[in-house]
Amino acid sequence: MLILSSMLTNGIQAQTRLISGYVTAAEDGLPLNGVSVVVRGSLTGTITDDQGRFNFQAEATTDTLLFSLVGRQSKTVFLGGRSTITLTMTLGTTWLDEAVIIGYGSQTKRELTGAISTITAEQFKDVPLLSPDQALQGRAAGVFVTQNSGMPATSINVRIRGTNSLNASAEPLYIVDGMPINTGNYSGFFLGGQSLNALSDLNPEDISSIQVLKDAATSAIYGSRASNGVVLITTKRGKIGPTNIDFKAYEGLQNVSKLLDRLSGPEQEALVNEQRGAIGLSPRYPDPLSAPTTNWQQEVFRTAPIREYTLSTSGGNQQTQFMMSGTYFRQQGIVLGSDYQRGSVRLNLDHQFSQKLTFGTSLTLSRSLNNRINGDNSIIGVLSAALLLGSHIPVRNGDGSYALDPFSNVSNPVAEGTEITFNSRTSRIVGTTFAEYRFNPTFVWRTNVGVDNLILKEDVFYPTTTFNGARANGSGRSDYRQDLNWLLESTLTYSVALRQRHTLTVLVGAGLQESALEVLSAAATNFPGNSITRLTAGSVKTGASSDGSRWALTSFFSRLHYSFKEKVLVTATLRTDGSSRFGSDRRYGIFPVGSLGYVIVANNRYSNSVLNFLKVRTSYGLTGNANIGTLTNQTPALGLFGVGASYLQQTSLVPQQLANPDLSWEKTQELNFGVDMALLNSRLSLSANYFVRQTRDLLQQRQLPLTSGLLTITENIGALQNRGVELEVTSTNLQQSQWKWSTNFNISFIRNKITKLYGGTPFSAGSANWIQEGQPIGSFYGYQVERIFQTQAEIDALNQVNRSMNGSTAVYQSEATRPGDIKFKDLNGDGRITSADQTVIGSAQPSFYGGLTNNITYRGIDLSVFFQFTYGNKIYNITRSSGENMSGQNGQLTTVRDRWTSENPSTSMPRAVQGDPNNNRRTSDRFLEDGSFLRLKNLSIGYTLQSNLMKKARLRTLRIYITAQNLLAFTHYSGYDPEVNTQTDQSLVAGTDYLGVPQARTLLLGMHVGF
Amino acid sequence: MVLSVLIEACATFLDKKPESSVPSEEAITNLTGARASIIGAYANLASGYSISFTIFPDLLADNLAHNGSITDLDQFKSHNILSNNGYVSSLWQSLYQGINRVNYILEKVPLLSDPAFTDQKRIIAEAKFIRALLYFHLIRYWGDVPLIKAPTKTAENLLVSRTPKEQVYTLVQTDLREATPDLPEAAIGRATQSAAQALSARVALELQDYAAVAALSEAILQRRQFSLVSDYRMLFDTKNTIESIFELQYYPTSANGLAFWFFPTALGGRNEVGPRGAGSTLESAYEPGDRRKIASISPGNLILDGKTIPAGTGIKYSRISSQDDNVQVIRYAEVMLIRAEALAQIGNQTESLELLNQIRQRAGLGALPIRDKKELLMAIEQEKRVELAMEGYRWFDLIRTGRAQDVLKITDSKKLVLPIPQQEILINPNLVQNEGY
């Protein structure tokens, strides 16, 4: 690389000439400062000064200049021999000339041959965001974002163009200012299904734009990590001009928007007595009517504050531009005991040392403290315990201690929320530094060094007042994890424009990346009281361990972009990655892609025509996914013995994993057809894509027969397909001096299908999910309810039929089946209910999803309304399955009032019976619900002080706003929140509500002052 | 040239070794590896007995009720177990995991030759003992099971089929016979000659080879190494008593969940199972004056660690704080009782009754008068139920004597074996499900 670059410095000695000029605003004739002036097809150029003037040395052959400035329409000027240019620029940019960040460069939408969705800071400025991935929700076609839990800083699922993997990560690659960052869950603690989200260390306030690279044409430059899509996050940078100081703040309150209806204490006790009576047991509660009633939901839900303050400053002169910011964010959870706060600072600097040498940096430091609580998918969570414990149990006993149900093993929700300490502290540094050298106008060399250092320290303490702490006289554990991820990348770009017809840009680059994880963990029990929670106080040290892992990636990449008259566009990309994770014979992968675009109509000048711009484009290419292994096992290809459980206080060595020297990437072939158009004086723009993605060699934990003594082997097996249509529409409905109204709409129709599994064998995942060829990921599998048995005669008749078919003692369902129990469907017609009577009963995949934003401005008042929707997906509601089981001590929903009894021959709710001998609760369509919803995700109303008043107040800007988040949801789902999933780390588990925490409804007041 | 250096550098850069594992082929190549591997096999046993091996035989029978929230366990109680039952699957998995561990040892350890490796034969014998114990569990729960004698080294050729249980018994007997001479006479928490002989006797009883039971138990008696402790409660308050033949050892750092499963939530347990509740008649099975009752089930006024244990709680495993109750896989009382049963079967009623009365005497009960063979066998069954309650015997005894359907009121005889896990049937077409599932 270096050798190649040194050759080029001595290369071409071009003839140059001085080009100068003057740029003014069309509306008032005042000089324009900061206009970028670039020779088209090259990186040569300059910026106008505060007098609107510019001058620079350009190649003698230069014939076309491109002028651009944020907020103005870009202009292309043909020199035709002139060396002085005077130009006026009109307000507003056309959609086509917006720069789009792509991997290792940028392009205008006009030139783009791939599928990219862009989200700008403007779109989420009034929305309280904890992490950048939240900004993607509902705002980009083909991007499906599920906020699985309402608990702060828990993980979020982002699926770009469908779920693309079964066992490897299906999350996109996130790149912040050129640095591929650590993502995912680093927590060493299982606190229910919700895990930590490493993206929450990044402050969304610092983001200027997010580009989602969706198809192979745009993502393949990231090769082996691209097949789940790539999210490029660009942070705000300083601009030439006066120094701005901005202060932004909001304060709000959050609460739960819905409570479930549960039985009162007396009803609960009467029900338990009835259950017991059904199997001949004596009543447990002699006098149910005297039972107290605790509203457990009210005990654990609360109105919780959310607030953020950001102070930032930016500006710069011709040589140096800067952006500095500091933000404090705090969000308490709506469930007792949950509290998240983060402080972060950022410094982005750019310096032009000379015409040739530029360097700069992006650096952020953040620190967060997350007081976590046990979450869902666990019977000891705060909300889960509140839902599982019966209303007849008081919060506290007469002596002040926390009350428990002596017949149940559910903990006390209030104790769970207030007594246990789960502190997760992160310290994070993400920084990149670059140097860029222009050997001459056509050759640019750029080197980028990036570091992402993530430190997570977790402390857990169970005091003696809790379920877990009581038996061990206090129990604590501390984990320390550090992941140091560094990157070194160099690129060389050659750009040339020939005779105003041909432009050619060639990029070549190479990179190294390495990640080193360190893990330390210690645990202790038997503490002297609950006041000292550090492990040093625990007299029995129950654990001490240290572990680590490394992975590395080496890459070579190149891209060629050619355009003929801005009409024919060709792009070809090639990347080669070597990964440490794979078998020594399969380490290197090659990822090529080609794309073509043809601009059919481009008549900006004739703005009266209906069709202003029309481009068709297509791409086909190969990308990969290498994201397997666990945090501490980054060598899935090796046959290993690991450290097993100890015995007799001696360490053991046990078989851990089987070798697979052929282990390699998942490969995704993607075909994309797209069309971009602008209509009606560019007031309506539309971008549509059709894609087919075939992913093969899926990295899978293939389940081994258990008789092997091992559980799984990591193999490249199976295939799946995602295909779909995405549509993004932006329209300026009204553009008058006082009224402005614009609409953004996106919708996606994506179909997922598993096309091949190992041996064609289906398997189960999570509680009710099912993986089967021909079915989508997230299918549900179970029995089908036929009806409720009303008489013993019906049951006897079925048993009789089965005896004649299957032998003397056989029964249809269970020996204990009685009237009031559910009759499940005998799908295979063998006269009895066996596991073979299960079938695919639905899927968590939506038929379509999308978002709709309307922005209306009248003078200083602005209104933004954002709806998010999904349609056709199913949810398996385990919360209801436990709330309607009528077989044990669990707190029950009021829906069980309609249960079958001989007096109330219900046809929908079965009878109450201890132990559920008929297994009415088995996985069936009884608990499968429609998960479609339309949600008013965000509603903001703002007022910006008019400019004349601002001048008096010596302010640059002043805006106040009110935002309501999750204000309304239209859904048939009976649980708290249709946007739910219990286990976020597994792609195979989808659409399952296991006592999940709903998202908060938030109302906040915000302001922005600019000096 | 430059390129080749670059590629070379990249290859080294990409060579990342695991930091807490060793390559399989290097694992059992020396005596430390061999010793660590046999610890792994014991750890598997310790994990199996930490809940399922110990609790299920009483839960499936009439000694334990299911009072907790795990719905899969309701199926055990109602003998309506579905093939996707998670506990059935983990029981199967745990047993074959142990078998793979010992198969590795049995393949690799005999190949080592190191004069310093003085315990080489012992480790091989221990591996055989453990393999026999694991297969004995498998046969009794499922009937015919796949017989696997070699370690799993690749993902190929894993689609095994079921071997007739007679052949599996042959391996169990051979393993135990070969293991016995190479085992030490005494050891804490590890297999001994007596443990292997006692297990052989247990297997012989299952196969109704009463002469063999008598001979094997005679050998243990002759050794005079073991005797009944005078106070029954001492068996659970004290670790490794004179009565203990093979006792799995637990520590706060490698604990088990037994006390946790038995104890009420207020004491830090999860109240999952207990002798009191629907489907258990254990409390009424004790004769009046049987001291074992209050040593096994809290009468309500028992105080442990300053905490009152509610009435009806099973207290054989009571170290709720440290969770390090040992599990007595084989104790002398069992050897006496299976000897009594075998002697009754072969007509030596006098000695049989004498053994039975020794057990009764320790429990504070009077001697039984001589009865006929049938009555004597029933008395032994009753004595074994209360003597070894909640220690993992009852279901297997009732199945062995053919009385399970009668006593437990199970109408469908097909439910006397467990279903093979559904996932296992799906993955491996060569495995045929038990009838009735």
Side-chain angles (χ1 to χ4, degrees), chain B residues 202-220:
Chain B
R202 208 191 266 182
V203 173
L205 187 69
E206 190 77 29
L207 295 173
Q208 300 179 355
D209 184 353
Y210 302 116
V213 178
L216 287 158
S217 52
E218 178 70 20
I220 298 167

PDB file of all heavy atoms in Angstrom, chain B residues 202-220:
ATOM      1  N   ARG B 202     -27.130 -54.365  42.680  1.00  0.00           N
ATOM      2  CA  ARG B 202     -28.357 -53.670  42.290  1.00  0.00           C
ATOM      3  C   ARG B 202     -28.785 -54.111  40.884  1.00  0.00           C
ATOM      4  O   ARG B 202     -29.974 -54.337  40.617  1.00  0.00           O
ATOM      5  CB  ARG B 202     -28.088 -52.160  42.307  1.00  0.00           C
ATOM      6  CG  ARG B 202     -29.301 -51.321  42.596  1.00  0.00           C
ATOM      7  CD  ARG B 202     -28.996 -49.850  42.325  1.00  0.00           C
ATOM      8  NE  ARG B 202     -28.569 -49.110  43.515  1.00  0.00           N
ATOM      9  CZ  ARG B 202     -28.299 -47.792  43.486  1.00  0.00           C
ATOM     10  NH1 ARG B 202     -28.388 -47.119  42.344  1.00  0.00           N
ATOM     11  NH2 ARG B 202     -27.919 -47.169  44.570  1.00  0.00           N
ATOM     12  N   VAL B 203     -27.801 -54.240  39.989  1.00  0.00           N
ATOM     13  CA  VAL B 203     -28.088 -54.673  38.616  1.00  0.00           C
ATOM     14  C   VAL B 203     -28.584 -56.123  38.619  1.00  0.00           C
ATOM     15  O   VAL B 203     -29.562 -56.466  37.955  1.00  0.00           O
ATOM     16  CB  VAL B 203     -26.829 -54.517  37.729  1.00  0.00           C
ATOM     17  CG1 VAL B 203     -27.059 -55.122  36.352  1.00  0.00           C
ATOM     18  CG2 VAL B 203     -26.436 -53.044  37.609  1.00  0.00           C
ATOM     19  N   ALA B 204     -27.934 -56.959  39.431  1.00  0.00           N
ATOM     20  CA  ALA B 204     -28.327 -58.366  39.474  1.00  0.00           C
ATOM     21  C   ALA B 204     -29.745 -58.521  40.010  1.00  0.00           C
ATOM     22  O   ALA B 204     -30.514 -59.366  39.536  1.00  0.00           O
ATOM     23  CB  ALA B 204     -27.343 -59.145  40.343  1.00  0.00           C
ATOM     24  N   LEU B 205     -30.111 -57.685  40.961  1.00  0.00           N
ATOM     25  CA  LEU B 205     -31.472 -57.733  41.500  1.00  0.00           C
ATOM     26  C   LEU B 205     -32.476 -57.394  40.390  1.00  0.00           C
ATOM     27  O   LEU B 205     -33.510 -58.032  40.262  1.00  0.00           O
ATOM     28  CB  LEU B 205     -31.599 -56.742  42.656  1.00  0.00           C
ATOM     29  CG  LEU B 205     -32.916 -56.791  43.434  1.00  0.00           C
ATOM     30  CD1 LEU B 205     -33.021 -58.086  44.235  1.00  0.00           C
ATOM     31  CD2 LEU B 205     -33.043 -55.596  44.378  1.00  0.00           C
ATOM     32  N   GLU B 206     -32.119 -56.384  39.609  1.00  0.00           N
ATOM     33  CA  GLU B 206     -32.972 -55.985  38.485  1.00  0.00           C
ATOM     34  C   GLU B 206     -33.149 -57.167  37.529  1.00  0.00           C
ATOM     35  O   GLU B 206     -34.227 -57.384  36.977  1.00  0.00           O
ATOM     36  CB  GLU B 206     -32.309 -54.797  37.770  1.00  0.00           C
ATOM     37  CG  GLU B 206     -33.159 -54.115  36.733  1.00  0.00           C
ATOM     38  CD  GLU B 206     -34.220 -53.191  37.337  1.00  0.00           C
ATOM     39  OE1 GLU B 206     -33.980 -52.658  38.438  1.00  0.00           O
ATOM     40  OE2 GLU B 206     -35.287 -53.036  36.709  1.00  0.00           O
ATOM     41  N   LEU B 207     -32.061 -57.939  37.345  1.00  0.00           N
ATOM     42  CA  LEU B 207     -32.099 -59.073  36.415  1.00  0.00           C
ATOM     43  C   LEU B 207     -32.558 -60.357  37.107  1.00  0.00           C
ATOM     44  O   LEU B 207     -32.482 -61.440  36.529  1.00  0.00           O
ATOM     45  CB  LEU B 207     -30.708 -59.269  35.798  1.00  0.00           C
ATOM     46  CG  LEU B 207     -30.233 -58.103  34.921  1.00  0.00           C
ATOM     47  CD1 LEU B 207     -28.788 -58.300  34.499  1.00  0.00           C
ATOM     48  CD2 LEU B 207     -31.125 -57.933  33.695  1.00  0.00           C
ATOM     49  N   GLN B 208     -33.000 -60.245  38.357  1.00  0.00           N
ATOM     50  CA  GLN B 208     -33.518 -61.358  39.154  1.00  0.00           C
ATOM     51  C   GLN B 208     -32.505 -62.490  39.300  1.00  0.00           C
ATOM     52  O   GLN B 208     -32.849 -63.650  39.397  1.00  0.00           O
ATOM     53  CB  GLN B 208     -34.834 -61.875  38.549  1.00  0.00           C
ATOM     54  CG  GLN B 208     -35.872 -60.770  38.531  1.00  0.00           C
ATOM     55  CD  GLN B 208     -37.200 -61.203  37.923  1.00  0.00           C
ATOM     56  OE1 GLN B 208     -37.325 -62.305  37.437  1.00  0.00           O
ATOM     57  NE2 GLN B 208     -38.172 -60.322  37.975  1.00  0.00           N
ATOM     58  N   ASP B 209     -31.220 -62.100  39.295  1.00  0.00           N
ATOM     59  CA  ASP B 209     -30.159 -63.078  39.542  1.00  0.00           C
ATOM     60  C   ASP B 209     -29.846 -63.010  41.039  1.00  0.00           C
ATOM     61  O   ASP B 209     -28.875 -62.394  41.461  1.00  0.00           O
ATOM     62  CB  ASP B 209     -28.933 -62.705  38.690  1.00  0.00           C
ATOM     63  CG  ASP B 209     -27.822 -63.727  38.821  1.00  0.00           C
ATOM     64  OD1 ASP B 209     -27.947 -64.645  39.669  1.00  0.00           O
ATOM     65  OD2 ASP B 209     -26.815 -63.586  38.096  1.00  0.00           O
ATOM     66  N   TYR B 210     -30.754 -63.671  41.833  1.00  0.00           N
ATOM     67  CA  TYR B 210     -30.694 -63.480  43.279  1.00  0.00           C
ATOM     68  C   TYR B 210     -29.442 -64.077  43.906  1.00  0.00           C
ATOM     69  O   TYR B 210     -28.925 -63.558  44.894  1.00  0.00           O
ATOM     70  CB  TYR B 210     -31.964 -64.036  43.923  1.00  0.00           C
ATOM     71  CG  TYR B 210     -33.205 -63.378  43.359  1.00  0.00           C
ATOM     72  CD1 TYR B 210     -34.156 -64.107  42.651  1.00  0.00           C
ATOM     73  CD2 TYR B 210     -33.400 -61.998  43.501  1.00  0.00           C
ATOM     74  CE1 TYR B 210     -35.279 -63.495  42.109  1.00  0.00           C
ATOM     75  CE2 TYR B 210     -34.520 -61.374  42.966  1.00  0.00           C
ATOM     76  CZ  TYR B 210     -35.455 -62.124  42.268  1.00  0.00           C
ATOM     77  OH  TYR B 210     -36.534 -61.503  41.733  1.00  0.00           O
ATOM     78  N   ALA B 211     -28.951 -65.128  43.298  1.00  0.00           N
ATOM     79  CA  ALA B 211     -27.721 -65.735  43.822  1.00  0.00           C
ATOM     80  C   ALA B 211     -26.566 -64.743  43.716  1.00  0.00           C
ATOM     81  O   ALA B 211     -25.747 -64.591  44.637  1.00  0.00           O
ATOM     82  CB  ALA B 211     -27.414 -67.016  43.062  1.00  0.00           C
ATOM     83  N   ALA B 212     -26.510 -64.066  42.588  1.00  0.00           N
ATOM     84  CA  ALA B 212     -25.446 -63.075  42.396  1.00  0.00           C
ATOM     85  C   ALA B 212     -25.593 -61.939  43.404  1.00  0.00           C
ATOM     86  O   ALA B 212     -24.600 -61.461  43.967  1.00  0.00           O
ATOM     87  CB  ALA B 212     -25.477 -62.547  40.969  1.00  0.00           C
ATOM     88  N   VAL B 213     -26.835 -61.513  43.638  1.00  0.00           N
ATOM     89  CA  VAL B 213     -27.059 -60.443  44.620  1.00  0.00           C
ATOM     90  C   VAL B 213     -26.525 -60.896  45.977  1.00  0.00           C
ATOM     91  O   VAL B 213     -25.808 -60.154  46.657  1.00  0.00           O
ATOM     92  CB  VAL B 213     -28.563 -60.102  44.750  1.00  0.00           C
ATOM     93  CG1 VAL B 213     -28.778 -59.016  45.804  1.00  0.00           C
ATOM     94  CG2 VAL B 213     -29.139 -59.666  43.411  1.00  0.00           C
ATOM     95  N   ALA B 214     -26.867 -62.134  46.334  1.00  0.00           N
ATOM     96  CA  ALA B 214     -26.443 -62.649  47.632  1.00  0.00           C
ATOM     97  C   ALA B 214     -24.922 -62.696  47.730  1.00  0.00           C
ATOM     98  O   ALA B 214     -24.339 -62.295  48.745  1.00  0.00           O
ATOM     99  CB  ALA B 214     -27.051 -64.034  47.851  1.00  0.00           C
ATOM    100  N   ALA B 215     -24.274 -63.147  46.656  1.00  0.00           N
ATOM    101  CA  ALA B 215     -22.813 -63.281  46.676  1.00  0.00           C
ATOM    102  C   ALA B 215     -22.137 -61.925  46.762  1.00  0.00           C
ATOM    103  O   ALA B 215     -21.202 -61.708  47.551  1.00  0.00           O
ATOM    104  CB  ALA B 215     -22.352 -64.037  45.430  1.00  0.00           C
ATOM    105  N   LEU B 216     -22.618 -60.984  45.954  1.00  0.00           N
ATOM    106  CA  LEU B 216     -22.002 -59.656  45.928  1.00  0.00           C
ATOM    107  C   LEU B 216     -22.198 -58.936  47.254  1.00  0.00           C
ATOM    108  O   LEU B 216     -21.276 -58.314  47.786  1.00  0.00           O
ATOM    109  CB  LEU B 216     -22.593 -58.834  44.779  1.00  0.00           C
ATOM    110  CG  LEU B 216     -22.138 -59.260  43.378  1.00  0.00           C
ATOM    111  CD1 LEU B 216     -23.126 -58.789  42.313  1.00  0.00           C
ATOM    112  CD2 LEU B 216     -20.734 -58.715  43.086  1.00  0.00           C
ATOM    113  N   SER B 217     -23.410 -59.040  47.799  1.00  0.00           N
ATOM    114  CA  SER B 217     -23.661 -58.337  49.055  1.00  0.00           C
ATOM    115  C   SER B 217     -22.884 -59.008  50.188  1.00  0.00           C
ATOM    116  O   SER B 217     -22.410 -58.332  51.107  1.00  0.00           O
ATOM    117  CB  SER B 217     -25.158 -58.274  49.363  1.00  0.00           C
ATOM    118  OG  SER B 217     -25.741 -59.564  49.284  1.00  0.00           O
ATOM    119  N   GLU B 218     -22.735 -60.314  50.093  1.00  0.00           N
ATOM    120  CA  GLU B 218     -21.932 -61.056  51.057  1.00  0.00           C
ATOM    121  C   GLU B 218     -20.502 -60.511  51.092  1.00  0.00           C
ATOM    122  O   GLU B 218     -19.926 -60.275  52.154  1.00  0.00           O
ATOM    123  CB  GLU B 218     -21.933 -62.545  50.671  1.00  0.00           C
ATOM    124  CG  GLU B 218     -21.096 -63.443  51.574  1.00  0.00           C
ATOM    125  CD  GLU B 218     -21.703 -63.607  52.966  1.00  0.00           C
ATOM    126  OE1 GLU B 218     -22.908 -63.354  53.101  1.00  0.00           O
ATOM    127  OE2 GLU B 218     -20.960 -63.956  53.904  1.00  0.00           O
ATOM    128  N   ALA B 219     -19.967 -60.258  49.887  1.00  0.00           N
ATOM    129  CA  ALA B 219     -18.595 -59.743  49.793  1.00  0.00           C
ATOM    130  C   ALA B 219     -18.464 -58.400  50.522  1.00  0.00           C
ATOM    131  O   ALA B 219     -17.468 -58.135  51.198  1.00  0.00           O
ATOM    132  CB  ALA B 219     -18.193 -59.603  48.333  1.00  0.00           C
ATOM    133  N   ILE B 220     -19.500 -57.575  50.368  1.00  0.00           N
ATOM    134  CA  ILE B 220     -19.453 -56.260  51.024  1.00  0.00           C
ATOM    135  C   ILE B 220     -19.577 -56.408  52.541  1.00  0.00           C
ATOM    136  O   ILE B 220     -18.840 -55.786  53.310  1.00  0.00           O
ATOM    137  CB  ILE B 220     -20.569 -55.340  50.479  1.00  0.00           C
ATOM    138  CG1 ILE B 220     -20.349 -55.109  48.970  1.00  0.00           C
ATOM    139  CG2 ILE B 220     -20.612 -54.015  51.225  1.00  0.00           C
ATOM    140  CD1 ILE B 220     -21.509 -54.488  48.254  1.00  0.00           C
TER     141      ILE B 220
END
